[in-house]
Amino acid sequence: MPEIEINETERQARYNPAEIEPKWQARWDADPKLYAAEGHDSGKPKFYCLEMLPYPSGQLHMGHVRNYSIGDALARFMWMRGHNVLHPMGWDAFGLPAENAALKNNTPPREWTLQNIAAMKKQMRRMGLSYDWSTEVTTCLPDYYRWNQWFFLQMYEKDLAYRKKSKVNWCPDCQTVLANEQVVNGRCWRHEDTIVEQRDLTQWFLRITKYADELLDGLEKLDGWPEKVRTMQRNWIGRSEGALVNFAVAGETGTENKEREDCSKITVFTTRVDTIYGATSVQLAPEHAVAKAFASEDAELAAKIEALLEEQKKARESDDFGAIEKHGVNTGRFAINPFNGERVPIWVGNYILADYGTGAIMSVPAHDERDFEFAQKYGLPVRRVIAAEQGDQPELPFTAEENAVLINSREWDGLRCIEAQQKMAAFAKQNGFGEPTVTYRLKDWGVSRQRYWGTPIPMVYCENGHDSPEPGKPRVEPGGVVALPESALPVLLPDSIAITQEGGSPLGKVPEFLHTTCPVCGGPARRETDTMDTFVDSSWYFYRYTDAKDEAAPFASDKANYWFPIDQYIGGVEHAILHLIYSRFWTKVMRDLGMITNDEPAERLFTQGMVIKDGAKMSKSKGNVVSPDDMIARYGADATRMYALFAAPPDRDLEWQEEGVAGISRFLGRVYRLVTKYAETTRKAGIPRLASRTITDQALLRTLHQTIAKITLDFSGRWHFNTSIAAIMSLVNEIVAAETAIDAEQASPVAVAEIIRNLILLLAPFAPFFAAEMWEQIGEEGVVFRTPWPVADEELARENEIEIPVQVNGKLVNVIRVPAESDEAAIKRAALADEKVKARVEGKNVVKVIVVPGKLVNLVVK
């Protein structure tokens, strides 16, 4: 951006954000209704604009500023477009960092969290973000988390919340359980270098798998979500159609040993039952019950299986389990293929996971690349049972299903693969050794956490036991689980607690919390000491925004139904299979409880790029954070926000450069100089349109209305705010270039007034403090970002001349300029008259002239 020469008089009118911004923030703070949504009867179209709520870590950084600046600009634009806008903010306030801070600083988690919230809220206000703080939600306060407990009770009643012993993910650093979605490449999502362990614990789960098909099918309707996010969710849900097939274990009856697992059969899941005649072994995960049973009777085998398990654990550390070097051990036992009665050896493989499918596979080397690799290594037979319908037979492994038929499969020979899969699965069911089935990669959501700073689970364990008060329900045995009544909510976290991160849940060490009475029999009982996964808090918080002060319910249905679905949700793609899939599940549960009518929480989702500094994502843990406070002190909040929007398209990563903020500040200074210079002209001229215009008027108004049209389009979905701001800069450059003509009265005051007034309105979503100050300077009243957005005049925006590329035999020769209203004949004449074109076609025969009006001319010559 070129610097502008200014005289001494103009030098006195300098842009000073340190004076302007606090002045306007004080005014805005004094008007609590400024950013408040209107009633449902406003008659305006609603627009729910939402950025994902932050964890209150203590300080915002420029990554936060970028996210919030996008939403803020959109909210202001929609106000100016006449919408009833809900733009709230809150705090995802439970979580492990508060406990770590308590250990490090000897500060109670609640105190630490609320201090951080106050600090971050102050920063947000200083940034001028347009949040309605009357709807603020803080998830660590009882007025919010009591409804987490209420939802848990509803889900328990509907059999969506249940307790079972299972193998769970355990983070040694967090000292707690992680959901499957919180394990990334075998590591904790919070501690990227910490290997997650497997432990057997009794935990609470939410039955998200009940909604697996709906979660998957619903993705097809989310056209306003990035395809990348939808693909990630499809893959995580991982729907596979196939068949369960039981292989009997030779020599086992299922009743030989009451002390061990039933080893009479191995159930495999396969998507290719059509290849079962090519199965030459059955393979088990090292932790499969049958493998354990065999190992319990053979010490040598047990040692080999333990070695495979160790290899499997190490492979999880490599970040690429699929690249594991495949090893296996032959158990010496056999399974019987139910389709042909063939005995096949039972192996244990290090590449087979206990929690994927059934933890057992039938190995078909001829038609599976992984099985082929294993068979080659260990000398297992390879038998072709699928062939191409036509032509030469392809090399093995041959994995195609299309245009392929069964061979060497007895009565199934000649069937196409897809047809055979359906018929053979039905045959297995008819004969009692299998059935068609669908499996999912998605597992039920484990929500128990052995932490203090989370929502207490509203369940107790009755020490004496009692008959059920409900007819037909079983007796509660001693130590059995009992749900608390809603009247007992909220179950409050104790304020005074020793946090050691050792020896299980901290709540179990607080006698006054732990010991209670059974709500049914009145006898002694123990409270559940685990707390809920903090993703519970963020699964429904955006509904609470619609009715944040409701003491009788999580929210009023009529309010939620008015605002939902969210019109625009903004946040990071890293939440694709955590928060975003959990919140979709929670929405469907609330719908089925009759609380809402929408199926999905958000109609449109935008995932912004990261802010990069020193080659890495800006984050506190990497020590490369840039504080917005520092930028505001040097350049102002508006320049800081505008840089975050200007430096890169919002969906791409932004490489942080402080000089860019300084450049934006200089640009705003340039606009400030222009507005103050022409403020009196603007005040006096008013806003009537001209009957006649000078050449300078026409040129400036053309650029103005082209800029209005472009920015309006950008806000309508493209969100190329970087090019929007660049267009405003180009407009300002044209005004600067025309200053001499304006000062010489070659531009009418009315045109100048229209340009200055609309320039301020165009800046209002991006630089609200600045726009408010300029709006006042030109004598306008009212709130600038509640003023109607300017409308582009197509007639004024139309170019007098347009550029047309001219090609000869498809190769560009020149670009000509013609009057915008030129017809096809006029464009053809201009192209043929161009000197470069004439030189190119000289001595040649012009066979054809193709004119695409407004686009191009192509001459075909020989």
Side-chain angles (χ1 to χ4, degrees):
M1 291 177 285
E3 294 296 337
I4 305 299
E5 291 293 331
I6 58 178
N7 61 38
E8 192 58 37
T9 301
E10 292 166 341
R11 194 179 301 278
Q12 296 173 9
R14 281 192 177 277
Y15 168 53
N16 186 354
E19 291 181 3
I20 292 171
E21 293 178 354
K23 162 189 165 182
W24 285 101
Q25 190 59 56
R27 291 191 191 182
W28 296 342
D29 286 346
D31 182 2
K33 294 185 179 180
L34 179 65
Y35 298 129
E38 300 175 58
H40 302 175
D41 56 355
S42 68
K44 300 177 181 179
K46 69 93 178 175
F47 192 86
Y48 190 171
C49 179
L50 184 63
E51 302 97 69
M52 293 180 184
L53 82 176
Y55 180 79
S57 58
Q59 294 289 325
L60 296 178
H61 59 66
M62 290 308 301
H64 295 113
V65 170
R66 191 184 194 198
N67 182 8
Y68 305 147
S69 296
I70 293 169
D72 191 72
L74 180 61
R76 293 179 189 277
F77 173 77
M78 298 309 294
W79 270 311
M80 296 176 79
R81 294 279 280 183
H83 285 68
N84 183 16
V85 178
L86 176 61
H87 189 212
M89 179 49 68
W91 311 98
D92 191 10
F94 274 137
L96 181 65
E99 293 194 29
N100 291 338
L103 278 171
K104 183 177 180 180
N105 305 320
N106 197 29
T107 304
R110 178 187 171 95
E111 180 181 337
W112 183 84
T113 301
L114 296 182
Q115 286 174 353
N116 288 350
I117 288 172
M120 293 174 72
K121 188 172 179 180
K122 182 179 179 181
Q123 286 182 295
M124 288 181 173
R125 287 185 181 276
R126 182 61 188 88
M127 287 297 301
L129 299 171
S130 58
Y131 297 129
D132 177 7
W133 290 108
S134 70
T135 64
E136 181 180 9
V137 162
T138 304
T139 63
C140 69
L141 298 181
D143 65 355
Y144 184 84
Y145 72 69
R146 70 168 295 174
W147 300 114
N148 287 346
Q149 296 170 344
W150 182 87
F151 277 119
F152 191 93
L153 293 177
Q154 309 310 306
M155 292 189 191
Y156 182 73
E157 179 66 24
K158 302 292 183 183
D159 196 33
L160 292 174
Y162 66 96
R163 191 168 179 260
K164 69 172 182 178
K165 186 173 184 178
S166 71
K167 193 169 295 297
V168 296
N169 306 303
W170 179 269
C171 174
D173 282 356
C174 294
Q175 285 288 297
T176 191
V177 168
L178 303 177
N180 289 333
E181 293 83 352
Q182 294 165 328
V183 179
V184 181
N185 297 321
R187 288 166 165 75
C188 172
W189 71 292
R190 283 195 184 278
H191 303 99
E192 297 176 359
D193 296 326
T194 301
I195 305 304
V196 173
E197 300 173 358
Q198 297 286 301
R199 292 192 179 182
D200 291 314
L201 292 175
T202 300
Q203 302 283 289
W204 285 99
F205 291 82
L206 300 183
R207 211 179 295 275
I208 191 173
T209 53
K210 179 179 178 181
Y211 290 87
D213 276 330
E214 192 177 352
L215 287 168
L216 185 63
D217 295 342
L219 292 171
E220 302 306 314
K221 302 174 185 177
L222 295 177
D223 296 331
W225 286 40
E227 183 56 35
K228 179 179 181 180
V229 172
R230 296 197 292 172
T231 297
M232 291 170 74
Q233 289 207 5
R234 285 190 195 99
N235 292 340
W236 188 257
I237 294 167
R239 188 179 193 275
S240 295
E241 293 187 18
L244 293 173
V245 180
N246 297 324
F247 282 69
V249 176
E252 294 281 348
T253 66
T255 59
E256 297 175 354
N257 188 342
K258 300 290 185 182
E259 299 300 317
R260 68 170 191 166
E261 296 280 349
D262 179 11
C263 297
S264 62
K265 66 180 179 182
I266 297 170
T267 301
V268 304
F269 169 76
T270 177
T271 59
R272 295 295 307 272
V273 69
D274 56 314
T275 67
I276 197 166
Y277 281 83
T280 58
S281 68
V282 167
Q283 299 186 15
L284 308 177
E287 294 179 287
H288 192 283
V290 172
K292 287 182 177 181
F294 290 169
S296 68
E297 300 169 349
D298 185 334
E300 183 179 352
L301 177 63
K304 292 178 180 179
I305 291 176
E306 184 62 29
L308 294 177
L309 185 58
E310 285 302 312
E311 292 174 5
Q312 192 175 91
K313 288 180 179 178
K314 288 180 181 179
R316 289 178 181 266
E317 301 173 15
S318 70
D319 291 348
D320 187 5
F321 184 79
I324 187 173
E325 183 180 353
K326 297 171 181 60
H327 291 144
V329 57
N330 190 341
T331 66
R333 307 293 294 270
F334 291 86
I336 299 172
N337 186 329
F339 273 86
N340 59 11
E342 181 181 7
R343 286 163 54 98
V344 294
I346 301 172
W347 284 67
V348 179
N350 66 351
Y351 64 98
I352 301 169
L353 298 172
D355 57 357
Y356 188 81
T358 63
I361 67 166
M362 63 177 202
S363 180
V364 184
H367 305 292
D368 182 275
E369 292 180 2
R370 182 187 59 178
D371 295 348
F372 184 81
E373 178 187 342
F374 191 89
Q376 293 288 98
K377 184 169 188 174
Y378 289 101
L380 296 174
V382 179
R383 182 186 308 139
R384 185 192 295 271
V385 293
I386 304 293
E389 278 192 284
Q390 297 178 344
D392 296 335
Q393 293 308 317
E395 291 185 4
L396 298 179
F398 176 51
T399 61
E401 293 178 76
E402 298 293 332
N403 302 315
V405 296
L406 274 67
I407 61 173
N408 301 323
S409 300
R410 297 186 181 176
E411 67 266 34
W412 311 103
D413 284 355
L415 287 179
R416 290 183 172 179
C417 291
I418 304 300
E419 180 185 5
Q421 289 166 18
Q422 297 169 349
K423 290 185 174 180
M424 294 173 78
F427 178 82
K429 182 176 181 179
Q430 181 181 350
N431 287 274
F433 56 77
E435 61 179 345
T437 193
V438 175
T439 64
Y440 300 90
R441 183 172 183 259
L442 179 71
K443 305 299 181 186
D444 281 341
W445 176 10
V447 295
S448 294
R449 298 293 179 268
Q450 292 67 45
R451 313 297 325 150
Y452 160 68
W453 195 232
T455 299
I457 296 174
M459 312 298 281
V460 301
Y461 301 94
C462 179
E463 293 188 6
N464 297 333
H466 57 262
D467 292 331
S468 173
E470 299 181 42
K473 288 199 172 183
R475 172 182 170 80
V476 174
E477 298 299 328
V481 66
V482 179
L484 290 174
E486 292 180 23
S487 60
L489 305 184
V491 178
L492 296 172
L493 281 173
D495 289 330
S496 179
I497 187 168
I499 297 174
T500 63
Q501 293 189 349
E502 296 176 356
S505 173
L507 292 175
K509 302 171 187 175
V510 183
E512 57 269 31
F513 176 87
L514 178 64
H515 301 298
T516 185
T517 57
C518 174
V520 175
C521 71
R526 293 177 297 104
R527 289 192 190 278
E528 172 61 72
T529 58
D530 287 349
T531 54
M532 296 186 200
D533 181 7
T534 54
F535 278 100
V536 168
D537 309 325
S538 59
S539 290
W540 69 279
Y541 75 98
F542 28 58
Y543 290 91
R544 183 68 175 174
Y545 282 145
T546 68
D547 195 16
K549 302 297 187 290
D550 196 329
E551 297 181 357
F555 51 83
S557 292
D558 63 327
K559 294 180 179 180
N561 288 333
Y562 171 77
W563 286 110
F564 274 82
I566 298 163
D567 294 280
Q568 186 64 65
Y569 199 23
I570 303 166
V573 73
E574 65 270 20
H575 299 292
I577 54 172
L578 289 163
H579 161 61
L580 289 172
I581 204 165
Y582 292 151
S583 61
R584 293 183 63 222
F585 160 66
W586 211 278
T587 288
K588 296 175 193 309
V589 171
M590 291 194 297
R591 178 205 60 199
D592 291 349
L593 291 172
M595 300 174 68
I596 55 175
T597 56
N598 53 295
D599 295 325
E600 299 287 351
E603 185 173 342
R604 288 185 295 275
L605 172 71
F606 182 81
T607 54
Q608 83 280 356
M610 298 182 293
V611 177
I612 306 296
K613 185 173 183 288
D614 303 329
K617 175 185 175 182
M618 192 176 286
S619 70
K620 198 171 181 179
S621 63
K622 292 184 171 64
N624 62 350
V625 165
V626 173
S627 169
D629 295 350
D630 295 338
M631 296 299 101
I632 291 170
R634 294 174 201 168
Y635 309 108
D638 282 334
T640 303
R641 289 156 51 110
M642 279 188 71
Y643 172 74
L645 297 173
F646 173 68
D651 58 338
R652 297 184 185 176
D653 291 347
L654 182 160
E655 185 70 39
W656 174 258
Q657 293 180 333
E658 184 177 336
E659 175 54 31
V661 188
I664 295 290
S665 180
R666 291 192 295 271
F667 165 71
L668 291 175
R670 187 168 304 138
V671 179
Y672 187 91
R673 183 186 67 82
L674 285 173
V675 174
T676 53
K677 180 177 179 180
Y678 296 114
E680 186 175 356
T681 300
T682 304
R683 284 194 295 270
K684 290 179 178 178
I687 56 172
R689 289 293 178 90
L690 291 170
S692 61
R693 300 181 180 88
T694 68
I695 293 174
T696 302
D697 291 342
Q698 291 174 9
L700 289 174
L701 289 171
R702 181 184 306 117
T703 302
L704 169 67
H705 285 274
Q706 288 174 348
T707 305
I708 293 170
K710 173 176 176 43
I711 297 174
T712 303
L713 178 62
D714 285 345
F715 268 111
S716 299
R718 288 158 35 105
W719 284 22
H720 293 176
F721 296 146
N722 56 320
T723 60
S724 294
I725 295 170
I728 297 174
M729 291 176 175
S730 295
L731 171 62
V732 170
N733 287 342
E734 286 212 29
I735 299 170
V736 170
E739 272 191 90
T740 302
I742 296 171
D743 295 345
E745 299 184 352
Q746 295 175 18
S748 65
V750 173
V752 172
E754 180 178 349
I755 292 161
I756 294 298
R757 185 178 187 275
N758 284 303
L759 171 60
I760 295 168
L761 292 175
L762 291 174
L763 280 167
F766 307 114
F769 291 119
F770 180 87
E773 179 71 11
M774 296 299 92
W775 197 242
E776 186 176 71
Q777 285 230 12
I778 66 171
E780 294 286 354
E781 296 181 353
V783 179
V784 62
F785 44 81
R786 291 298 182 99
T787 303
W789 182 255
V791 178
D793 186 317
E794 292 185 11
E795 187 64 31
L796 290 175
R798 186 174 294 119
E799 291 282 357
N800 289 335
E801 289 187 329
I802 58 175
E803 293 184 338
I804 302 288
V806 181
Q807 301 174 342
V808 174
N809 290 341
K811 294 184 178 180
L812 180 67
V813 174
N814 200 12
V815 177
I816 62 173
R817 293 187 66 84
V818 299
E821 66 277 5
S822 298
D823 60 15
E824 186 173 332
I827 295 171
K828 179 178 178 181
R829 286 194 299 271
L832 293 171
D834 181 77
E835 292 299 326
K836 288 187 177 180
V837 174
K838 286 196 294 184
R840 182 65 63 89
V841 302
E842 186 178 0
K844 299 177 182 178
N845 180 30
V846 179
V847 177
K848 190 175 184 181
V849 180
I850 302 169
V851 179
V852 181
K855 299 292 185 181
L856 65 84
V857 177
N858 186 34
L859 280 65
V860 180
V861 302
K862 291 185 178 179

